[in-house]
Amino acid sequence: MLHHVVEAQQFDRPTLEEVFRLSTEMEQLVRQGGDTRCVGRIMATLFYEPSTRTRFSFEAAMLRLGGQVITTENAGEFSSVAKGETLEDTIRILNGYADVIVVRHYEVGAAQRAAKVSAVPVINAGDGPGQHPTQALLDLYTIQRELGRVDGLQVAMVGDLANGRTVRSLAYLLGKFRDVRIRFVAPPLLRMKPDILEYLQERGVAYSEEELLERVLPEVDVVYQTRIQKERFGDRLADYESCRRLYVINRASLDLLKPSAIIMHPLPRVDEITMDVDDDPRAAYFRQAQNGLYVRMALLALVLGSKQ
Ligand code: CP
């Protein structure tokens, strides 16, 4: 049974397939007005970093399943962390109040630390530039739904690969599929970190590191665009300015893309996909965000043992 969800590589193919099967079921459930399988269960969401999609979709997921939510959206300021309480003590206390804890933190490894002291399931909603495993699950679910398969696809990951936690988690998951090729498109400052490249090498996954988006666009099935994460540059503003707007997907990019390809983005976007791309059927990013609800409903049902 699934318990803590802290990193993408913990998922094997059968578990991924179970999550996807259940996610499709959840989509149906939402259309029918929701469900009662989590009645009497409480989810705590503990967010130390801002969020729109992850927090709201987790909270909507719990409510759609009949459960309840306790939450703090700015834990560093509105919880007793502001008085010096540790993450570990906060988690120990929440164990007495909630059946599952969803945590977003600014430090790599924070979710792992939380899981170590928690009897109830801890779900990593993003740990600094570390991982965002539930995002990777909804990304993969989106690829499967949009293109009918993951095996054999070429996926371009574009932009801030050094700071983006979603691309790290997605690379781990793609590494579990057959004949996938990943093309990392980033400037030298923002290249994918060596631990992910080593993981892909160990698993025999084909990948390349490139700088020219125009060369990659006509050849791939999925373009996974990402935001240059200004908040991770600290006072290196000149570095940030030198990287932003290097890779923008616009109407001209659409002419280069295969008719069957899709454009994804974990969102939020700033200016790396222009708004006139949104109406193109290949723009999958809003459908991707919607899938987050179904995948997170599936995850809650699994970790709470509330499958039916
Ligand atoms: N994709 C994502 O994690 O979005 P939020 O930061 O809005 O949760």
Side-chain angles (χ1 to χ4, degrees), residues 2-6 11 19 23 26 30 38 41-47 51-72 99-105 111 121-127 131-138 165 288-304:
L2 196 59
H3 192 58
H4 300 305
V5 176
V6 291
F11 287 87
V19 171
S23 301
M26 293 300 172
V30 170
C38 286
R41 316 302 286 277
I42 293 176
M43 176 182 75
T45 52
L46 182 65
F47 276 57
S51 169
T52 298
R53 278 144 292 274
T54 311
R55 190 166 72 89
F56 284 124
S57 64
F58 260 117
E59 294 184 1
M62 193 58 171
L63 296 172
R64 292 279 186 199
L65 292 171
Q68 289 171 293
V69 176
I70 52 178
T71 183
T72 175
D99 302 292
V100 55
I101 301 168
V102 180
V103 61
R104 169 170 288 188
H105 201 278
V122 166
I123 301 180
N124 181 2
D127 58 336
Q131 284 220 30
H132 195 349
T134 70
Q135 176 72 43
L137 290 169
L138 77 90
R165 54 196 173 202
Q288 179 185 354
Q290 179 65 43
N291 288 335
L293 173 67
Y294 313 131
V295 169
R296 288 173 175 133
M297 287 173 76
L299 283 172
L300 288 174
L302 284 169
V303 301
L304 291 170

Coordinates of all heavy atoms in Angstrom, one line a residue, residues 2-6 11 19 23 26 30 38 41-47 51-72 99-105 111 121-127 131-138 165 288-304:
L2 N 0.4 2.3 -0.7 CA 1.2 3.5 -0.8 C 1.0 4.2 0.6 O -0.1 4.3 1.1 CB 0.6 4.4 -1.9 CG 1.4 5.6 -2.4 CD1 2.7 5.1 -3.0 CD2 0.6 6.3 -3.5
H3 N 2.2 4.8 1.1 CA 2.1 5.5 2.4 C 2.6 6.9 2.1 O 1.9 7.7 1.6 CB 2.8 4.7 3.5 CG 2.6 5.2 4.8 ND1 1.3 5.3 5.4 CD2 3.4 5.7 5.8 CE1 1.4 5.8 6.6 NE2 2.6 6.1 6.9
H4 N 3.9 7.2 2.5 CA 4.4 8.5 2.2 C 4.7 8.6 0.7 O 5.1 7.7 0.0 CB 5.8 8.7 2.9 CG 5.7 8.6 4.4 ND1 4.8 9.4 5.1 CD2 6.4 7.8 5.3 CE1 5.0 9.1 6.4 NE2 5.9 8.1 6.5
V5 N 4.5 9.9 0.2 CA 4.9 10.2 -1.2 C 5.9 11.3 -1.2 O 5.6 12.4 -1.0 CB 3.6 10.6 -2.0 CG1 4.1 11.0 -3.5 CG2 2.6 9.6 -2.1
V6 N 7.2 10.9 -1.3 CA 8.3 11.9 -1.1 C 9.1 12.1 -2.3 O 9.7 13.2 -2.5 CB 9.2 11.6 0.1 CG1 8.4 11.7 1.4 CG2 9.8 10.2 0.0
F11 N 8.0 5.3 -7.2 CA 6.9 4.7 -8.0 C 7.4 3.7 -9.0 O 8.2 4.0 -9.8 CB 6.1 5.7 -8.7 CG 5.3 6.6 -7.7 CD1 5.8 7.7 -7.1 CD2 3.9 6.2 -7.4 CE1 5.0 8.4 -6.2 CE2 3.2 6.9 -6.5 CZ 3.7 8.1 -5.9
V19 N -2.3 4.3 -10.1 CA -2.6 5.7 -9.9 C -3.4 6.2 -11.2 O -4.4 6.9 -11.0 CB -1.3 6.5 -9.7 CG1 -1.6 8.0 -9.7 CG2 -0.6 6.2 -8.4
S23 N -7.1 7.6 -11.3 CA -7.3 9.0 -11.7 C -8.4 9.1 -12.7 O -9.3 10.0 -12.7 CB -6.0 9.6 -12.3 OG -5.0 9.5 -11.4
M26 N -11.6 8.8 -11.0 CA -11.9 10.1 -10.2 C -12.5 11.1 -11.1 O -13.4 11.9 -10.7 CB -10.6 10.6 -9.5 CG -10.1 9.7 -8.4 SD -11.3 9.5 -7.1 CE -10.4 8.2 -6.2
V30 N -16.0 13.0 -10.3 CA -16.2 14.5 -10.2 C -17.4 14.8 -11.1 O -18.2 15.6 -10.6 CB -14.9 15.2 -10.6 CG1 -15.2 16.7 -10.7 CG2 -13.8 15.0 -9.6
C38 N -13.9 9.5 1.7 CA -13.0 10.0 2.7 C -13.7 10.8 3.8 O -13.1 11.6 4.5 CB -12.0 10.9 2.0 SG -10.7 10.0 1.1
R41 N -12.3 11.8 7.4 CA -10.8 11.9 7.3 C -10.5 13.4 7.1 O -11.2 14.2 6.5 CB -10.3 11.1 6.1 CG -10.8 9.7 5.9 CD -10.7 8.8 7.1 NE -9.3 8.3 7.3 CZ -8.8 7.3 6.7 NH1 -9.5 6.6 5.8 NH2 -7.6 6.9 7.0
I42 N -9.3 13.7 7.7 CA -8.8 15.1 7.7 C -7.5 15.2 7.0 O -6.6 14.4 7.3 CB -8.8 15.7 9.1 CG1 -10.2 15.8 9.7 CG2 -8.1 17.1 9.1 CD1 -10.2 16.3 11.1
M43 N -7.3 16.2 6.1 CA -6.0 16.4 5.4 C -5.5 17.8 5.9 O -6.2 18.8 5.9 CB -6.2 16.5 3.9 CG -4.9 16.8 3.2 SD -5.2 16.9 1.4 CE -6.1 18.5 1.3
A44 N -4.2 17.8 6.4 CA -3.6 19.1 6.7 C -2.7 19.5 5.6 O -1.9 18.7 5.1 CB -2.8 18.9 8.0
T45 N -2.8 20.7 5.1 CA -1.9 21.2 4.1 C -1.0 22.3 4.7 O -1.5 23.3 5.3 CB -2.6 21.8 2.9 OG1 -3.6 22.8 3.3 CG2 -3.3 20.8 2.0
L46 N 0.3 22.1 4.7 CA 1.3 22.9 5.4 C 2.2 23.4 4.3 O 3.1 22.7 3.8 CB 2.0 22.0 6.3 CG 3.1 22.6 7.3 CD1 2.5 23.5 8.2 CD2 3.8 21.4 8.0
F47 N 2.0 24.7 3.9 CA 2.7 25.3 2.8 C 3.6 26.4 3.3 O 3.1 27.4 3.7 CB 1.8 25.7 1.7 CG 1.4 24.6 0.8 CD1 0.8 23.5 1.2 CD2 1.6 24.7 -0.6 CE1 0.4 22.4 0.4 CE2 1.2 23.7 -1.5 CZ 0.6 22.5 -1.0
S51 N 1.6 28.8 -3.5 CA 1.1 27.8 -4.4 C -0.3 28.2 -4.9 O -1.1 28.8 -4.0 CB 1.0 26.4 -3.8 OG 0.3 25.5 -4.5
T52 N -0.7 27.9 -6.1 CA -2.1 28.0 -6.5 C -2.6 26.6 -6.8 O -3.5 26.1 -6.1 CB -2.2 28.9 -7.7 OG1 -1.8 30.2 -7.4 CG2 -3.7 28.9 -8.2
R53 N -2.0 26.0 -7.8 CA -2.5 24.7 -8.2 C -2.4 23.6 -7.2 O -3.3 22.8 -7.0 CB -1.7 24.2 -9.5 CG -2.2 24.8 -10.8 CD -1.0 25.1 -11.7 NE -0.2 26.1 -11.1 CZ -0.4 27.4 -11.3 NH1 -1.4 27.8 -12.1 NH2 0.3 28.3 -10.8
T54 N -1.2 23.4 -6.6 CA -1.0 22.2 -5.8 C -1.9 22.3 -4.5 O -2.5 21.3 -4.2 CB 0.5 22.1 -5.4 OG1 1.3 22.3 -6.6 CG2 0.8 20.8 -4.8
R55 N -1.9 23.4 -3.9 CA -2.7 23.5 -2.6 C -4.2 23.4 -2.9 O -4.9 22.6 -2.4 CB -2.4 24.8 -1.9 CG -3.0 24.7 -0.5 CD -2.4 25.8 0.4 NE -2.9 27.1 0.0 CZ -4.0 27.7 0.5 NH1 -4.7 27.1 1.4 NH2 -4.3 28.9 0.1
F56 N -4.6 24.2 -3.9 CA -6.1 24.2 -4.2 C -6.5 22.9 -4.7 O -7.6 22.4 -4.4 CB -6.4 25.3 -5.1 CG -6.5 26.7 -4.5 CD1 -5.8 27.7 -4.9 CD2 -7.3 26.9 -3.4 CE1 -5.8 29.0 -4.3 CE2 -7.4 28.2 -2.8 CZ -6.6 29.2 -3.2
S57 N -5.7 22.2 -5.6 CA -6.2 21.0 -6.1 C -6.1 19.9 -5.1 O -7.0 19.0 -5.1 CB -5.4 20.6 -7.4 OG -4.0 20.3 -7.0
F58 N -5.2 19.9 -4.2 CA -5.2 18.9 -3.1 C -6.4 19.1 -2.2 O -7.1 18.2 -1.8 CB -3.9 19.0 -2.2 CG -2.9 17.9 -2.6 CD1 -1.7 18.2 -3.1 CD2 -3.2 16.6 -2.4 CE1 -0.8 17.2 -3.4 CE2 -2.3 15.6 -2.7 CZ -1.1 15.9 -3.2
E59 N -6.7 20.4 -1.9 CA -7.8 20.7 -1.0 C -9.1 20.3 -1.7 O -10.0 19.7 -1.1 CB -7.8 22.1 -0.5 CG -6.5 22.4 0.3 CD -6.4 23.7 0.9 OE1 -7.3 24.6 0.7 OE2 -5.4 24.0 1.7
A60 N -9.3 20.7 -3.0 CA -10.5 20.3 -3.7 C -10.6 18.8 -3.8 O -11.7 18.3 -3.7 CB -10.4 20.9 -5.1
A61 N -9.5 18.1 -4.0 CA -9.5 16.7 -4.1 C -10.1 16.1 -2.8 O -11.0 15.2 -2.8 CB -8.1 16.1 -4.3
M62 N -9.6 16.5 -1.7 CA -10.1 16.0 -0.4 C -11.6 16.3 -0.2 O -12.4 15.4 0.2 CB -9.3 16.6 0.8 CG -9.5 15.9 2.1 SD -9.1 14.1 2.0 CE -9.2 13.6 3.7
L63 N -12.0 17.5 -0.6 CA -13.4 17.9 -0.4 C -14.3 17.1 -1.4 O -15.4 16.6 -1.0 CB -13.6 19.4 -0.7 CG -12.9 20.3 0.3 CD1 -13.0 21.8 -0.1 CD2 -13.4 20.1 1.8
R64 N -13.8 16.8 -2.6 CA -14.6 16.0 -3.6 C -14.7 14.6 -3.1 O -15.7 13.9 -3.5 CB -13.8 16.0 -4.9 CG -13.8 17.3 -5.6 CD -15.1 17.6 -6.4 NE -15.0 18.8 -7.2 CZ -16.1 19.4 -7.6 NH1 -17.3 19.0 -7.4 NH2 -15.9 20.5 -8.3
L65 N -13.8 14.1 -2.2 CA -13.9 12.8 -1.7 C -14.7 12.7 -0.4 O -14.7 11.7 0.3 CB -12.5 12.2 -1.5 CG -11.8 11.9 -2.9 CD1 -10.3 11.6 -2.6 CD2 -12.4 10.8 -3.7
G66 N -15.2 13.9 0.0 CA -16.0 13.9 1.2 C -15.2 14.2 2.5 O -15.8 14.2 3.6
G67 N -13.9 14.4 2.4 CA -13.1 14.6 3.6 C -13.1 16.1 3.9 O -13.7 16.9 3.3
Q68 N -12.3 16.4 4.9 CA -12.1 17.8 5.4 C -10.7 18.2 5.4 O -9.8 17.4 5.4 CB -12.8 17.9 6.8 CG -14.3 17.8 6.7 CD -14.9 17.8 8.1 OE1 -14.7 16.8 8.8 NE2 -15.6 18.8 8.5
V69 N -10.5 19.6 5.4 CA -9.2 20.1 5.3 C -8.9 21.1 6.4 O -9.7 21.9 6.7 CB -9.1 20.9 3.9 CG1 -7.8 21.6 3.7 CG2 -9.4 19.9 2.7
I70 N -7.7 21.0 6.9 CA -7.1 22.1 7.8 C -5.9 22.6 7.1 O -5.1 21.8 6.5 CB -6.9 21.6 9.2 CG1 -6.0 20.4 9.3 CG2 -8.2 21.4 10.0 CD1 -5.7 19.9 10.7
T71 N -5.6 23.9 7.2 CA -4.6 24.4 6.3 C -3.9 25.7 6.8 O -4.5 26.4 7.6 CB -5.2 24.8 4.9 OG1 -4.2 25.2 4.0 CG2 -6.3 25.9 5.0
T72 N -2.6 25.8 6.4 CA -2.0 27.1 6.6 C -1.3 27.4 5.3 O -0.5 26.6 4.8 CB -1.1 27.2 7.8 OG1 -0.4 28.5 7.8 CG2 0.0 26.1 7.8
D99 N -5.2 13.0 9.2 CA -4.9 11.6 8.7 C -3.9 11.6 7.6 O -3.4 10.5 7.2 CB -6.2 11.0 8.2 CG -7.3 11.0 9.3 OD1 -7.1 10.2 10.2 OD2 -8.3 11.8 9.2
V100 N -3.6 12.8 7.0 CA -2.6 12.9 5.9 C -2.1 14.3 5.9 O -2.9 15.2 6.2 CB -3.2 12.5 4.5 CG1 -4.5 13.3 4.2 CG2 -2.2 12.6 3.4
I101 N -0.8 14.5 5.7 CA -0.2 15.8 5.7 C 0.4 16.1 4.3 O 1.2 15.3 3.9 CB 0.9 15.9 6.8 CG1 0.2 15.6 8.2 CG2 1.5 17.3 6.8 CD1 1.3 15.4 9.3
V102 N 0.0 17.2 3.7 CA 0.6 17.6 2.4 C 1.5 18.8 2.7 O 1.1 19.8 3.3 CB -0.5 18.0 1.4 CG1 0.2 18.4 0.1 CG2 -1.4 16.8 1.2
V103 N 2.8 18.7 2.4 CA 3.8 19.7 2.8 C 4.6 20.2 1.6 O 5.1 19.5 0.8 CB 4.7 19.2 4.0 CG1 5.5 18.0 3.5 CG2 5.6 20.3 4.5
R104 N 4.6 21.6 1.5 CA 5.5 22.2 0.6 C 6.5 23.0 1.4 O 6.1 23.8 2.3 CB 4.8 23.1 -0.4 CG 5.7 24.0 -1.2 CD 5.0 24.8 -2.3 NE 4.7 23.9 -3.4 CZ 4.2 24.3 -4.6 NH1 4.0 25.6 -4.8 NH2 3.9 23.4 -5.5
H105 N 7.8 22.9 1.1 CA 8.8 23.5 1.9 C 9.9 24.1 0.9 O 10.1 23.6 -0.2 CB 9.4 22.5 2.9 CG 10.1 23.1 4.0 ND1 11.4 23.6 4.0 CD2 9.7 23.3 5.3 CE1 11.8 24.0 5.2 NE2 10.7 23.9 6.0
A111 N 10.5 17.1 2.9 CA 9.4 16.1 3.0 C 9.9 14.8 3.5 O 9.2 14.1 4.3 CB 8.8 15.9 1.6
P121 N 0.5 9.4 6.6 CA 1.2 9.7 5.3 C 1.5 11.2 5.1 O 0.7 12.0 5.4 CB 0.2 9.3 4.2 CG -0.8 8.4 4.9 CD -0.8 8.8 6.3
V122 N 2.8 11.4 4.6 CA 3.2 12.7 4.3 C 3.3 12.8 2.7 O 3.9 11.8 2.1 CB 4.6 13.0 4.9 CG1 5.2 14.3 4.3 CG2 4.5 13.3 6.4
I123 N 2.8 13.8 2.1 CA 2.9 13.9 0.7 C 3.7 15.2 0.4 O 3.4 16.3 0.9 CB 1.5 14.0 0.0 CG1 0.7 12.8 0.3 CG2 1.7 14.2 -1.5 CD1 -0.7 12.8 -0.3
N124 N 4.8 15.0 -0.4 CA 5.7 16.1 -0.8 C 5.0 16.9 -1.9 O 4.8 16.5 -3.0 CB 7.0 15.5 -1.3 CG 8.0 16.5 -1.7 OD1 7.8 17.7 -1.6 ND2 9.2 16.1 -2.2
A125 N 4.7 18.2 -1.6 CA 4.1 19.1 -2.5 C 5.1 20.0 -3.1 O 4.8 21.1 -3.6 CB 2.9 19.9 -1.9
G126 N 6.4 19.6 -3.0 CA 7.5 20.4 -3.6 C 8.4 20.8 -2.4 O 8.0 21.4 -1.4
D127 N 9.7 20.4 -2.6 CA 10.7 20.7 -1.6 C 11.9 21.5 -2.2 O 12.8 20.9 -2.8 CB 11.3 19.4 -0.8 CG 11.9 18.4 -1.7 OD1 11.6 18.4 -2.9 OD2 12.7 17.6 -1.2
Q131 N 12.3 18.1 -5.4 CA 11.3 17.3 -6.2 C 9.9 17.8 -6.0 O 9.6 18.5 -5.1 CB 11.4 15.8 -5.8 CG 12.6 15.1 -6.3 CD 12.3 13.7 -6.8 OE1 11.2 13.4 -7.2 NE2 13.3 12.8 -6.7
H132 N 9.0 17.4 -7.0 CA 7.6 17.7 -6.9 C 6.9 16.4 -7.5 O 6.4 16.4 -8.6 CB 7.3 18.9 -7.7 CG 6.0 19.5 -7.5 ND1 5.0 18.9 -6.8 CD2 5.5 20.8 -7.9 CE1 3.9 19.8 -6.8 NE2 4.2 20.9 -7.4
P133 N 6.9 15.3 -6.7 CA 6.5 14.1 -7.3 C 5.0 14.0 -7.8 O 4.7 13.4 -8.8 CB 6.7 13.0 -6.2 CG 6.8 13.8 -4.9 CD 7.4 15.2 -5.3
T134 N 4.1 14.7 -7.0 CA 2.7 14.6 -7.5 C 2.5 15.4 -8.8 O 1.6 15.1 -9.6 CB 1.7 15.1 -6.4 OG1 1.9 16.6 -6.2 CG2 2.0 14.5 -5.1
Q135 N 3.3 16.4 -9.0 CA 3.3 17.1 -10.3 C 3.7 16.2 -11.4 O 3.1 16.1 -12.5 CB 4.2 18.4 -10.3 CG 4.3 19.1 -11.6 CD 3.0 19.9 -11.9 OE1 2.4 20.5 -11.1 NE2 2.6 19.8 -13.2
A136 N 4.8 15.4 -11.1 CA 5.3 14.5 -12.2 C 4.2 13.4 -12.5 O 4.1 13.0 -13.6 CB 6.6 13.9 -11.7
L137 N 3.5 13.0 -11.5 CA 2.5 12.0 -11.7 C 1.4 12.6 -12.6 O 0.9 11.9 -13.5 CB 1.8 11.5 -10.4 CG 2.8 10.7 -9.5 CD1 2.2 10.5 -8.1 CD2 3.0 9.3 -10.1
L138 N 1.0 13.8 -12.3 CA -0.1 14.4 -13.2 C 0.5 14.8 -14.6 O -0.3 14.7 -15.6 CB -0.7 15.6 -12.5 CG 0.0 17.0 -12.5 CD1 -0.3 17.8 -13.6 CD2 -0.4 17.7 -11.2
R165 N 12.0 21.8 -9.9 CA 11.8 20.5 -9.3 C 10.9 19.6 -10.1 O 11.0 18.4 -10.1 CB 11.3 20.7 -7.9 CG 10.0 21.5 -7.8 CD 9.7 22.0 -6.4 NE 8.6 22.9 -6.3 CZ 8.4 23.8 -5.3 NH1 9.3 23.8 -4.3 NH2 7.4 24.6 -5.3
Q288 N -3.7 19.9 -18.3 CA -2.7 19.3 -17.4 C -3.0 19.7 -16.0 O -3.0 18.9 -15.0 CB -1.3 19.8 -17.8 CG -0.1 19.4 -17.1 CD 1.2 20.1 -17.6 OE1 1.1 20.8 -18.6 NE2 2.3 19.9 -16.9
A289 N -3.2 21.0 -15.7 CA -3.5 21.5 -14.4 C -4.8 20.9 -13.9 O -4.9 20.5 -12.7 CB -3.6 23.0 -14.4
Q290 N -5.8 20.7 -14.8 CA -7.1 20.1 -14.4 C -6.8 18.6 -13.9 O -7.4 18.2 -13.0 CB -8.1 20.2 -15.5 CG -9.4 19.5 -15.3 CD -10.2 20.3 -14.2 OE1 -10.2 21.5 -14.1 NE2 -10.8 19.5 -13.3
N291 N -6.0 18.0 -14.7 CA -5.7 16.6 -14.3 C -5.1 16.4 -12.9 O -5.2 15.4 -12.3 CB -4.7 15.9 -15.3 CG -5.4 15.7 -16.7 OD1 -6.6 15.5 -16.8 ND2 -4.6 15.7 -17.7
G292 N -4.5 17.5 -12.4 CA -3.9 17.5 -11.1 C -5.0 17.2 -10.0 O -4.7 16.5 -9.1
L293 N -6.2 17.6 -10.3 CA -7.3 17.3 -9.3 C -7.5 15.8 -9.3 O -7.6 15.2 -8.2 CB -8.6 18.0 -9.7 CG -9.8 17.6 -8.9 CD1 -9.7 18.1 -7.5 CD2 -11.1 18.2 -9.6
Y294 N -7.6 15.2 -10.4 CA -7.9 13.7 -10.5 C -6.8 12.9 -9.9 O -7.0 11.9 -9.2 CB -8.3 13.3 -11.9 CG -9.2 14.3 -12.6 CD1 -9.0 14.7 -13.9 CD2 -10.4 14.7 -12.0 CE1 -9.8 15.6 -14.5 CE2 -11.2 15.6 -12.6 CZ -11.0 16.1 -13.9 OH -11.8 17.0 -14.5
V295 N -5.6 13.3 -10.3 CA -4.4 12.5 -9.8 C -4.3 12.6 -8.3 O -4.0 11.6 -7.6 CB -3.1 12.9 -10.5 CG1 -1.9 12.3 -9.9 CG2 -3.2 12.5 -12.0
R296 N -4.5 13.8 -7.8 CA -4.4 14.0 -6.3 C -5.6 13.3 -5.6 O -5.4 12.8 -4.4 CB -4.3 15.5 -6.0 CG -2.9 16.0 -6.5 CD -2.6 17.4 -6.4 NE -1.2 17.6 -6.7 CZ -0.8 18.6 -7.6 NH1 -1.6 19.4 -8.2 NH2 0.5 18.7 -7.9
M297 N -6.7 13.3 -6.2 CA -7.8 12.5 -5.6 C -7.4 11.0 -5.5 O -7.6 10.3 -4.5 CB -9.1 12.6 -6.4 CG -9.8 13.9 -6.3 SD -11.2 14.1 -7.5 CE -12.5 13.0 -6.7
A298 N -6.8 10.5 -6.6 CA -6.4 9.1 -6.6 C -5.3 8.9 -5.5 O -5.3 7.9 -4.8 CB -5.8 8.8 -8.0
L299 N -4.4 9.8 -5.4 CA -3.3 9.6 -4.4 C -3.9 9.6 -3.0 O -3.5 8.8 -2.2 CB -2.3 10.7 -4.5 CG -1.3 10.6 -5.7 CD1 -0.4 11.9 -5.8 CD2 -0.4 9.4 -5.5
L300 N -4.8 10.5 -2.7 CA -5.4 10.6 -1.4 C -6.1 9.3 -1.1 O -6.0 8.7 0.0 CB -6.4 11.8 -1.2 CG -5.7 13.1 -1.2 CD1 -6.7 14.3 -1.2 CD2 -4.8 13.2 0.1
A301 N -6.9 8.8 -2.1 CA -7.6 7.5 -1.9 C -6.6 6.4 -1.6 O -6.9 5.5 -0.7 CB -8.4 7.2 -3.1
L302 N -5.5 6.4 -2.3 CA -4.5 5.3 -2.1 C -3.8 5.4 -0.7 O -3.7 4.4 0.0 CB -3.5 5.3 -3.2 CG -3.9 4.8 -4.6 CD1 -2.9 5.1 -5.7 CD2 -4.1 3.3 -4.5
V303 N -3.4 6.6 -0.4 CA -2.6 6.7 0.9 C -3.5 6.5 2.1 O -3.1 6.1 3.2 CB -1.7 8.0 1.0 CG1 -0.7 8.1 -0.1 CG2 -2.6 9.2 1.1
L304 N -4.8 6.9 1.9 CA -5.8 6.7 3.0 C -6.4 5.4 3.0 O -7.3 5.1 3.8 CB -6.8 7.8 3.0 CG -6.2 9.2 3.3 CD1 -7.3 10.3 3.0 CD2 -5.8 9.3 4.8

